[in-house]
């Protein structure tokens, strides 16, 4: 249904990276979610009244909260697509993350409300009235929720939308919750045991878990999570494919919302090449990154001496020392200041976050290794970096 509606109402509906297309998909998904969840609430609430089941009634109000969540998702997509302004020069894309976080909070709150009602039903159990119509309603609900989970997950992957992933996760938890309610309803018909309240309790815990999981999906990009490895590899592949660039380091990906990425990095170029030629290479690389990855790119040019055999040998020796110290560490911006009594080796060391040593402790350990393996006349002056990817 969603695919058919997209073909009817979204121009260029396969261009998922276009901000306007993203907005229309968000609005379409929100409208479908409101319609389906409102329908499910109505029929489940009716089934709950018929059967006197707290689990079914709890599941109905869970769908009502989902309808409200769909409204928030719709507004989030609409507001996040607003053009940049003087107060927000990078746009409003993170509003999509905030809307997903709000949806997650609503899910968790509703879960605790269901938890309270279920505990009360456990303390004060009540007989249920069995009806084939109730079973049919629950089966229809499971089918609808599976469909909603499918189309939201599919759109989330295509649009890279945290808000839609949160909605898809919620739909899957609703499917499981309704299945538990279905089992409870059938069991209570053929048994004298009152498990309705306990099943409602399980439903509530599932809803809370789904809300917390969906919240993590939206909190991570707001806090500044590392970019996906495939995206980083693609950046490095594009940059290193350009003639005149011999190395990349200090790569940072800034996320201002889906479709609003900014890249900054340092590109190493041979120091012997004319600076104007290297500058042209850097400008061209920025343009290629923007065209192919749909992001803004800022590249700092680092000249590197490549025609001094003695310096090259020292660089390779220091690189091996650092990698032997920690296999995930690396060096860049290597320079040498030769003197009559001693020689300074100046470079940056990229240290993994797993290393909890202080900068002084790292310097002492590396200096000891340099003195032992290269010579006591060599002293290091290092700057400690951390990987942002």
């Amino acid at each position: 249904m969603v695919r058919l509606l997209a073909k009817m109402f979204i121009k260029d509906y396969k261009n998922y990276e276009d901000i306007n297309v993203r907005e229309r998909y968000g609005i379409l998904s929100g409208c479908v979610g409101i319609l389906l969840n409102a329908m499910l609430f109505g029929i489940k609430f009716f089934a709950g009244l018929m059967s006197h089941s707290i689990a079914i009634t709890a599941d109905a109000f869970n769908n009502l909260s989902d309808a409200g969540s769909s409204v928030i998702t719709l507004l989030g997509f609409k507001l996040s697509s607003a053009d940049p302004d003087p107060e927000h020069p990078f746009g409003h894309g993170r509003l999509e993350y905030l809307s997903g976080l709000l949806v997650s909070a609503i899910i968790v709150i509703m879960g605790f409300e269901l938890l309270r009602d279920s505990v009360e039903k456990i303390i004060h159990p009540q007989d249920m009235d069995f009806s084939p119509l109730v079973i049919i309603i629950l089966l229809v609900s499971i089918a609808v929720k599976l469909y909603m989970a499918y189309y939201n997950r599919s759109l989330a992957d295509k649009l890279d939308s945290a808000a839609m992933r949160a909605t898809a996760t919620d739909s899957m938890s609703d499917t499981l919750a309704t299945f538990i309610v279905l089992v409870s309803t059938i069991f209570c018909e053929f048994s004298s045991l009152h498990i309705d309240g306990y099943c409602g309790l399980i439903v509530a815990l599932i809803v809370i878990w789904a809300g917390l999981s969906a919240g993590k999906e939206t909190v991570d990009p707001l806090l500044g999570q590392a970019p996906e490895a495939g995206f980083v590899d693609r950046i490095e592949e594009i940059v290193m494919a350009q003639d005149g660039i011999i190395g990349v380091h200090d790569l940072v990906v800034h996320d201002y919302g889906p479709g609003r990425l900014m890249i900054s990095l340092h590109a190493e170029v041979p120091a012997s090449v004319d600076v104007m030629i290297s500058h042209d290479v850097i400008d061209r690389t920025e343009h290629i990154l923007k065209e192919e990855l749909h992001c803004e790119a800022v590249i700092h040019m680092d000249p590197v001496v490549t025609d001094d055999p003695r310096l090259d040998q020292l660089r390779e020796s220091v690189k091996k020392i650092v990698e032997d110290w920690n296999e995930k560490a690396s060096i860049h911006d290597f320079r040498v200041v030769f003197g009559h009594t001693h020689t300074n080796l100046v470079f940056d060391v990229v240290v993994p976050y797993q290393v909890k040593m202080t900068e002084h402790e790292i310097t002492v350990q590396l200096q000891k290794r340099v003195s032992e393996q290269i010579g006591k006349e060599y002293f290091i002056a290092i700057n400690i970096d951390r990987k942002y990817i």
Side-chain angles (χ1 to χ4, degrees):
M1 180 176 70
V2 173
R3 186 175 300 176
L4 177 62
L5 292 173
K7 291 180 180 179
M8 293 171 58
F9 296 108
I10 301 177
K11 183 180 179 181
D12 198 17
Y13 67 96
K14 290 187 177 181
N15 187 12
Y16 301 108
E17 295 177 346
D18 184 87
I19 292 177
N20 293 323
V21 172
R22 284 179 56 84
E23 176 192 354
R24 295 188 184 99
Y25 267 113
I27 293 173
L28 176 61
S29 175
C31 290
V32 172
I34 293 168
L35 177 65
L36 293 179
N37 281 308
M39 178 195 73
L40 290 177
F41 166 73
I43 62 175
K44 281 186 183 178
F45 186 70
F46 172 72
L49 291 177
M50 283 182 59
S51 61
H52 302 103
S53 168
I54 182 62
I56 296 177
T57 304
D59 205 22
F61 278 97
N62 181 32
N63 291 140
L64 182 62
S65 73
D66 292 342
S69 299
S70 295
V71 174
I72 295 172
T73 301
L74 188 155
L75 292 174
F77 269 93
K78 184 66 178 176
L79 294 174
S80 66
S81 63
D83 293 332
D85 54 43
E87 290 77 24
H88 309 94
F90 297 106
H92 304 77
R94 286 179 177 170
L95 281 172
E96 185 179 325
Y97 299 146
L98 291 175
S99 69
L101 183 60
L102 186 55
V103 168
S104 304
I106 292 173
I107 294 170
V108 172
I109 293 171
M110 182 59 66
F112 279 105
E113 289 291 322
L114 301 180
L115 189 67
R116 183 196 62 189
D117 293 342
S118 299
V119 170
E120 185 176 337
K121 189 64 179 285
I122 292 172
I123 298 172
H124 305 290
Q126 183 180 0
D127 290 334
M128 293 175 55
D129 295 330
F130 181 83
S131 168
L133 179 60
V134 171
I135 302 301
I136 293 173
I137 288 173
L138 293 177
L139 288 172
V140 170
S141 175
I142 290 173
V144 171
K145 276 296 179 178
L146 281 173
Y147 170 71
M148 293 176 68
Y150 165 75
Y151 82 71
N152 275 298
R153 173 59 65 179
S154 177
L155 287 178
D157 293 339
K158 291 173 181 175
L159 301 174
D160 190 23
S161 169
M164 283 188 175
R165 285 195 186 95
T167 304
T169 301
D170 183 39
S171 295
M172 282 305 300
S173 73
D174 289 346
T175 301
L176 179 58
T178 305
F179 178 75
I180 292 172
V181 172
L182 175 63
V183 172
S184 166
T185 303
I186 296 174
F187 183 86
C188 289
E189 171 63 15
F190 300 100
S191 171
S192 61
L193 296 177
H194 295 280
I195 67 169
D196 184 41
Y198 294 98
C199 288
L201 187 66
I202 295 173
V203 170
L205 293 175
I206 291 173
V207 171
I208 293 170
W209 173 84
L212 294 175
S213 299
K216 185 179 184 302
E217 288 271 353
T218 56
V219 167
D220 284 347
L222 284 172
L223 291 178
Q225 68 182 0
E228 294 182 0
F231 185 70
V232 173
D233 292 341
R234 182 59 182 146
I235 294 172
E236 294 179 346
E237 178 185 334
I238 291 173
V239 175
M240 292 302 296
Q242 310 308 311
D243 291 336
I245 295 180
I246 59 176
V248 176
H249 59 266
D250 287 348
L251 170 59
V252 181
V253 179
H254 310 269
D255 185 351
Y256 294 99
R260 299 167 180 82
L261 296 179
M262 178 174 285
I263 299 169
S264 61
L265 60 90
H266 289 212
E268 297 176 352
V269 298
S272 57
V273 176
D274 185 271
V275 66
M276 297 304 293
I277 295 176
S278 293
H279 184 267
D280 182 64
V281 171
I282 296 299
D283 279 351
R284 187 172 67 252
T285 305
E286 289 176 341
H287 179 74
I288 293 172
L289 286 170
K290 183 174 183 178
E291 287 293 313
E292 295 197 17
L293 301 182
H294 307 284
C295 60
E296 297 295 330
V298 178
I299 301 178
H300 174 79
M301 183 173 67
D302 278 344
V304 177
V305 176
T306 59
D307 52 1
D308 186 332
R310 186 180 178 188
L311 188 148
D312 290 342
Q313 183 179 0
L314 285 171
R315 182 191 296 110
E316 290 302 313
S317 298
V318 171
K319 178 182 177 183
K320 185 176 186 306
I321 288 172
V322 171
E323 290 176 349
D324 288 343
W325 170 72
N326 188 297
E327 62 180 7
K328 293 184 178 180
S330 61
I331 68 170
H332 60 81
D333 284 346
F334 186 85
R335 303 182 301 281
V336 179
V337 181
F338 294 103
H340 294 294
T341 59
H342 67 277
T343 296
N344 288 331
L345 308 177
V346 185
F347 55 95
D348 288 6
V349 183
V350 181
V351 179
Y353 282 100
Q354 292 84 350
V355 176
K356 303 302 181 183
M357 301 167 58
T358 65
E359 293 189 10
H360 175 71
E361 290 171 336
I362 295 172
T363 302
V364 169
Q365 285 201 10
L366 292 179
Q367 177 63 68
K368 180 181 178 182
R369 291 170 180 252
V370 167
S371 298
E372 292 173 349
Q373 299 182 37
I374 301 180
K376 293 183 178 180
E377 69 275 20
Y378 290 95
F379 293 88
I380 63 172
I382 65 174
N383 178 57
I384 306 298
D385 283 346
R386 299 285 181 175
K387 274 193 174 183
Y388 295 106
I389 55 175

